[in-house]
Amino acid sequence: MWQLIQFFLFLLVAGCGIYLTVKVIYRRYTYIKLGKPAVLHGRLTERIMALLAQVFGQKKLLKDRKSGVMHVVMFYGFIILQFGALDIIFRGLSGHHLPIPGFRYFQFSQELTVFLVLIAAAYAVYRRYGEKLKRLKRGWKPSLVIFFIFFLMLAVLFTLAFDRMRLNEGAALYAPISSLIALAFSGLPANSAAVLYYVSWWAHLLILLSFALYIPQSKHFHLITAPINIFLHRTDPAGRLRSIDFDDEEAESFGTGRIEDFERTQLLDLYACVECGRCTNMCPAAATGKVLSPMHLITKMRDHLTEKGAAVTSKSPWIPNLGSTAGAHMVKSRPDGNGTWKMAKMTEEAAARSAAETAAIPAAAPLAPVTDIEPTIKWHKFSWGQSPGSDVRDVNLIGDVITEEEIWSCTTCRNCEDQCPVGNEHVDKIIDLRRYLVLTEGKVPQEGQRAMQNIERQGNPWGMSRSDRSKWMDGLSVPTVRENPDFDYLFFIGSMGSYDSRSIKVTRSLVRLLNEAGVNFAVLGNEEKGSGDTPRRLGNEFLFQQLCKENIAVFEKYRVRRIVTACPHTFNTFKNEYPEFGLKAEVLHHTQLLEQLVKTGRLKPRYRMNERITYHDSCYLGRYNGVFDAPRNILKAIPGVELIEMKRSRENAMCCGAGGGRMWMEENAGKRVNLARTEQALEVRPTIIGSACPYCLTMLSDGTKMKGIEDSVKTKDIAEILAESVFGPL
């Protein structure tokens, strides 16, 4: 009779728990459906490989070896323990275990796994409260999952132990932990052991169901959404931006001004976030005291989506309906002196600090090591102009949820995306927000607006005359496409290489090397225009598409089939974004071509250079396009060069601060990014800081000047260094 009652109670409780969990998940799914439909390409094999590598291989998490191993134990531990949970439930309902071959080995694996999971959970507590990693939040909400894990593991062990006692099973090596617990309670009568077994069994079931219900209402929703997010990730080249169809007559605005303007896969990103802080920990803006935190950008939009989704669908996201369980939430303060209500976004950590403690890092403050970076978190307050209880649908995504200052702080370096273990894409969302500001509202910082106007009028960010674009050629043998129509390579100079006095030296060095190697190349001269990278990253998609189409028309006119450029931004734009608009040409960065010329013996570094060189990886060359070895191989081929790596190099290299249009904008908050990166380079005591990007070269040169060491530590492009070894000191 008792078994029958237990069975019906189980059906009732389990059915209720599963129903509520599915209900919570479905409601969040309806919020995601508010977004625009996403266009997904095939590439099933690539998606499966990404799923295997990042979910089952934990590739991103293992970048931080210690926490990665901890997460691997928990991940696989819970998979293994689900089979044990089925066995425990089956035993409580039927009176005997599952018919599993070699059950003793199965039971041993369960107890060993429980032990390892408890160790991993203890280490997680230590990382958060012992080491006090600054990227990890502290408080009862972030720690709630540890309590769930701890008590769930205890329930498993006590259920197994009391089951042994009620069945009069003696101690066994294949059940070491439950045998020890049973030994500790050896004086209990059989009836008491049976009662405690059922108490433990029900505790295990209730904790398991409660945990399942808690997961989709917390950051641990990533357990469900992250695998889906990774599988549905964009398979385009890294960082390629979505284009805008300006011929769409039904479009009322361009860019993203409302949360539902994002595509559904972008909204899935928001619920996949695990709030691990890896993105913010590596963000150059956050590290130098800017207001931007990639993690908080995602979580604020997630909370806004949840609140707006609940308002639109009239379905509460919380079961039981006890209010928001998110780590960050909207709060309203009392009205200020003008009667205007304020809204703020804050975390528990930020709420515990004073406004002075969350002020921006002073410009003179030293940059903390990557593992110790604590992003500046401010209490961002915005005028809402609404009385308490106003409809969340009236809240502006830009202004009320995300500040314009955050949007313009991003350098688009993609360090955040490279670190994210769940495949979140931050940069495309920021660019979509910029597009709305620029194309729909006409808002852009003054320096950025000036640069785009100059590009539109004169084809370069300074507004210098178009006819001056080819002045850098004076005194050199440089054929134009008209003079050499049978060229193999079009050397696309770019605005920096054509107008900037420092970058012109790089251009001229590269021309000398190409001539020395007998490369059949030509240039466009005054017919050249900007690539459009700056307008596109600043949100002016219309100007980008105009330049793109004009450039492609010129390339087709001269039958261009191979392009080489010294600018990684141009390289990335031509290689990864122009093909969508019709470009059919091979695109090379100058370090790739120079590496080939050195390897084949067409360029011979013969002069010894006794220099200690550290190489700075350009974001758009490295993280965007995976070109890490070509510049290093060139340096290794030069006699006398000692190549040394910075602490942050290759995929983890920190941005110079010039990307995303920031080259043309002032830094008014915190420490300058280029100074922080220069200090990282100086830690390895180089005599030369090498780069392969005109933007990076400018920023690092400015950094050495700010440190007052420009005479002792030189900044040079790879082409300049190679030219000095090929032709001798100038």
Side-chain angles (χ1 to χ4, degrees):
M1 184 65 181
W2 163 242
Q3 288 292 110
L4 188 61
I5 294 174
Q6 165 127 326
F7 179 73
F8 282 112
L9 283 176
F10 165 77
L11 290 180
L12 178 64
V13 173
C16 182
I18 294 171
Y19 168 75
L20 293 177
T21 300
V22 172
K23 188 175 183 180
V24 169
I25 295 172
Y26 179 75
R27 286 185 177 178
R28 280 160 176 75
Y29 168 70
T30 63
Y31 304 161
I32 292 174
K33 284 189 66 178
L34 295 176
K36 297 178 179 178
V39 178
L40 297 175
H41 303 291
R43 302 185 182 178
L44 180 62
T45 301
E46 184 177 336
R47 296 182 186 280
I48 292 174
M49 293 305 295
L51 189 69
L52 292 174
Q54 296 187 43
V55 176
F56 295 99
Q58 305 279 289
K59 180 179 177 181
K60 292 283 187 75
L61 284 163
L62 287 170
K63 285 189 174 186
D64 181 341
R65 188 66 58 182
K66 292 188 290 185
S67 66
V69 171
M70 174 197 75
H71 201 278
V72 166
V73 171
M74 286 193 176
F75 176 77
Y76 282 101
F78 268 84
I79 291 176
I80 294 170
L81 290 176
Q82 297 319 300
F83 296 101
L86 291 175
D87 175 62
I88 288 174
I89 292 170
F90 185 79
R91 276 203 242 185
L93 297 176
S94 67
H96 54 83
H97 63 72
L98 287 170
I100 299 174
F103 182 78
R104 292 184 175 185
Y105 298 104
F106 171 78
Q107 190 166 356
F108 177 76
S109 71
Q110 291 295 306
E111 296 204 9
L112 176 62
T113 302
V114 168
F115 178 69
L116 292 175
V117 168
L118 284 172
I119 291 177
Y123 181 65
V125 172
Y126 171 73
R127 291 269 283 179
R128 193 177 297 269
Y129 296 100
E131 291 186 14
K132 295 185 178 179
L133 292 186
K134 293 176 181 178
R135 65 178 174 84
L136 299 177
K137 295 179 183 178
R138 281 167 284 281
W140 71 270
K141 284 183 181 178
S143 304
L144 189 56
V145 67
I146 301 297
F147 288 106
F148 269 118
I149 293 172
F150 178 74
F151 287 111
L152 184 61
M153 296 303 102
L154 286 185
V156 169
L157 293 175
F158 276 97
T159 302
L160 295 176
F162 290 126
D163 188 40
R164 300 188 67 79
M165 292 179 65
R166 74 181 181 119
L167 298 176
N168 293 317
E169 294 181 352
L173 290 175
Y174 59 82
I177 303 176
S178 61
S179 294
L180 286 174
I181 295 174
L183 183 63
F185 288 89
S186 58
L188 283 177
N191 289 340
S192 298
V195 170
L196 289 174
Y197 165 74
Y198 284 109
V199 169
S200 301
W201 187 91
W202 276 102
H204 171 264
L205 179 66
L206 292 173
I207 294 171
L208 191 63
L209 293 173
S210 299
F211 197 5
L213 182 58
Y214 165 75
I215 283 172
Q217 302 183 85
S218 70
K219 68 176 186 177
H220 303 285
F221 196 20
H222 76 276
L223 295 171
I224 300 169
T225 54
I228 301 171
N229 198 47
I230 291 170
F231 182 77
L232 296 179
H233 78 286
R234 295 179 65 196
T235 55
D236 297 329
R240 176 191 280 182
L241 299 173
R242 296 169 175 84
S243 60
I244 293 177
D245 181 7
F246 289 104
D247 295 327
D248 184 2
E249 296 180 356
E250 297 182 2
E252 298 179 357
S253 63
F254 298 109
T256 297
R258 304 173 303 167
I259 195 71
E260 57 266 36
D261 290 338
F262 284 121
E263 291 185 1
R264 290 169 185 171
T265 50
Q266 291 178 294
L267 297 181
L268 180 62
D269 270 5
L270 309 184
Y271 284 127
C273 179
V274 66
E275 296 183 40
C276 63
R278 286 174 172 83
C279 55
T280 296
N281 193 52
M282 298 296 282
C283 175
T288 55
K290 312 302 186 293
V291 72
L292 174 65
S293 162
M295 184 186 78
H296 291 121
L297 180 88
I298 294 293
T299 57
K300 288 192 291 186
M301 288 195 291
R302 177 199 65 199
D303 295 342
H304 177 57
L305 172 62
T306 301
E307 291 169 355
K308 192 166 188 177
V312 171
T313 63
S314 300
K315 302 293 184 182
S316 170
W318 314 114
I319 296 176
N321 192 11
L322 300 176
S324 172
T325 61
H329 52 278
M330 294 184 183
V331 295
K332 294 180 213 147
S333 67
R334 293 177 298 174
D336 61 15
N338 297 322
T340 303
W341 285 81
K342 303 289 185 179
M343 183 178 69
K345 274 292 197 174
M346 63 184 74
T347 64
E348 276 76 12
E349 183 178 357
R353 303 177 184 174
S354 66
E357 290 175 323
T358 56
I361 299 172
L367 180 71
V370 61
T371 54
D372 296 327
I373 288 175
E374 179 173 14
T376 301
I377 302 173
K378 296 181 180 179
W379 295 15
H380 307 304
K381 297 183 179 180
F382 316 105
S383 296
W384 197 358
Q386 303 289 332
S387 59
S390 295
D391 196 330
V392 71
R393 286 172 286 194
D394 297 328
V395 174
N396 296 315
L397 177 60
I398 302 176
D400 291 337
V401 180
I402 308 297
T403 67
E404 291 184 30
E405 187 180 358
E406 287 174 276
I407 295 169
W408 294 113
S409 294
C410 179
T411 67
T412 67
C413 70
R414 290 192 60 254
N415 220 321
C416 51
E417 296 179 7
D418 179 71
Q419 292 292 317
C420 181
V422 296
N424 278 353
E425 295 177 329
H426 309 73
V427 174
D428 67 332
K429 297 176 183 63
I430 291 173
I431 298 300
D432 283 341
L433 295 169
R434 288 183 178 182
R435 286 171 170 176
Y436 183 82
L437 287 172
V438 173
L439 299 173
T440 302
E441 296 195 344
K443 293 181 179 179
V444 62
Q446 185 176 356
E447 306 97 331
Q449 179 65 35
R450 186 183 304 115
M452 286 192 287
Q453 287 175 346
N454 289 335
I455 291 171
E456 189 172 6
R457 294 169 183 169
Q458 294 294 341
N460 64 85
W462 302 277
M464 300 173 72
S465 174
R466 291 179 185 270
S467 60
D468 290 342
R469 184 175 278 272
S470 60
K471 277 190 173 182
W472 66 269
M473 298 165 57
D474 293 348
L476 287 177
S477 175
V478 186
T480 65
V481 289
R482 293 179 183 272
E483 297 166 343
N484 180 22
D486 297 323
F487 60 90
D488 292 328
Y489 290 92
L490 172 69
F491 179 16
F492 194 93
I493 315 301
S495 295
M496 287 291 287
S498 300
Y499 291 99
D500 178 67
S501 58
R502 180 64 187 87
S503 297
I504 286 174
K505 295 178 181 179
V506 178
T507 305
R508 292 173 69 89
S509 294
L510 184 52
V511 166
R512 291 182 68 198
L513 291 168
L514 295 178
N515 284 330
E516 174 71 13
V519 176
N520 181 16
F521 74 97
V523 299
L524 288 171
N526 289 335
E527 291 187 75
E528 187 179 287
K529 294 183 174 72
S531 67
D533 167 79
T534 290
R536 188 167 222 200
R537 265 66 198 177
L538 284 174
N540 193 338
E541 177 72 7
F542 185 82
L543 179 55
F544 161 75
Q545 291 192 20
Q546 178 183 332
L547 290 168
C548 173
K549 292 171 183 176
E550 290 174 356
N551 280 327
I552 291 175
V554 172
F555 296 159
E556 290 177 347
K557 175 183 176 182
Y558 292 110
R559 299 187 299 277
V560 174
R561 290 296 172 261
R562 284 189 287 187
I563 303 171
V564 62
T565 178
C567 176
H569 297 262
T570 300
F571 168 67
N572 177 74
T573 303
F574 285 174
K575 182 176 184 288
N576 296 325
E577 299 184 334
Y578 271 40
E580 181 182 355
F581 298 90
L583 177 64
K584 296 178 181 178
E586 179 186 2
V587 184
L588 292 175
H589 186 256
H590 76 300
T591 58
Q592 293 176 309
L593 180 57
L594 292 177
E595 181 195 28
Q596 294 175 16
L597 297 175
V598 170
K599 190 178 294 185
T600 57
R602 294 171 67 180
L603 286 175
K604 296 181 180 179
R606 56 176 62 90
Y607 290 91
R608 186 176 182 83
M609 294 182 65
N610 296 315
E611 301 285 359
R612 184 178 169 89
I613 302 178
T614 188
Y615 172 71
H616 161 78
D617 289 280
S618 161
C619 303
Y620 278 77
L621 187 61
R623 263 187 303 278
Y624 273 77
N625 288 284
V627 180
F628 298 109
D629 294 326
R632 288 174 169 83
N633 289 339
I634 294 170
L635 293 174
K636 290 175 182 177
I638 298 174
V641 166
E642 180 187 1
L643 179 61
I644 48 174
E645 296 287 358
M646 291 182 239
K647 185 175 182 180
R648 288 185 62 173
S649 62
R650 300 182 73 91
E651 293 90 345
N652 294 327
M654 181 175 172
C655 180
C656 73
R662 294 295 315 175
M663 177 74 183
W664 318 107
M665 299 162 68
E666 289 296 324
E667 283 190 60
N668 299 315
K671 188 174 190 173
R672 293 184 66 87
V673 176
N674 66 315
L675 178 60
R677 183 55 172 166
T678 302
E679 289 176 347
Q680 291 178 358
L682 295 178
E683 288 176 358
V684 297
R685 298 176 290 105
T687 57
I688 294 177
I689 302 174
S691 69
C693 170
Y695 289 3
C696 296
L697 182 63
T698 299
M699 300 300 272
L700 294 170
S701 296
D702 288 348
T704 58
K705 290 174 184 176
M706 293 171 70
K707 299 293 291 185
I709 56 168
E710 66 271 24
D711 293 331
S712 58
V713 180
K714 304 295 183 182
T715 52
K716 295 183 179 182
D717 186 89
I718 296 295
E720 293 179 297
I721 299 171
L722 179 60
E724 188 172 339
S725 181
V726 171
F727 302 113
L730 298 177

